[in-house]
Amino acid sequence: MIERFSGPGTMPCMHNDTITPIDRAWQERALCAQTGADFFFPEPGSSVREAKRICGMCEMRTACLDYALSHDERFGVWGGLSEKERLRLRRTENG
């Protein structure tokens, strides 16, 4: 819960806003959570083949890719796609 006060020059009162946390339960069930980040965030020029293989077996792949696209993740393999592949996908979706 976030408490917010009225700005200067206004009647003092407190507003309570509830922020719903993003559903990230998929992250706990994703295979990458049990594997380690090294495969999914490799050094520049390293292969992402193993990360893509793991993503291909993961039932959370779609949720992962949706998350990466909606949060503009720019690094690593998410949902089976590399940075360049996600960028290409965004460009084709946006025209």
Side-chain angles (χ1 to χ4, degrees):
M1 182 180 297
I2 294 179
E3 296 179 347
R4 195 173 60 190
F5 294 93
S6 298
T10 62
M11 178 92 170
C13 65
M14 192 170 83
H15 301 278
N16 289 323
D17 293 336
T18 302
I19 297 176
T20 306
I22 298 169
D23 180 19
R24 294 190 183 154
W26 64 267
Q27 290 179 338
E28 294 172 10
R29 298 188 345 232
L31 291 178
C32 61
Q34 303 155 26
T35 307
D38 293 347
F39 291 117
F40 302 93
F41 297 93
E43 293 293 322
S46 297
S47 175
V48 294
R49 182 177 292 135
E50 187 63 19
K52 288 182 173 194
R53 185 184 71 74
I54 293 167
C55 288
M57 297 183 295
C58 184
E59 63 184 39
M60 297 293 113
R61 181 178 177 188
T62 302
C64 179
L65 182 57
D66 288 345
Y67 176 86
L69 293 172
S70 65
H71 290 84
D72 197 25
E73 289 290 346
R74 298 186 183 218
F75 301 99
V77 175
W78 291 79
L81 299 182
S82 68
E83 300 98 335
K84 291 178 183 178
E85 292 166 330
R86 289 192 308 278
L87 180 59
R88 198 174 311 126
L89 179 62
R90 270 192 221 98
R91 287 180 179 161
T92 58
E93 288 178 349
N94 294 329

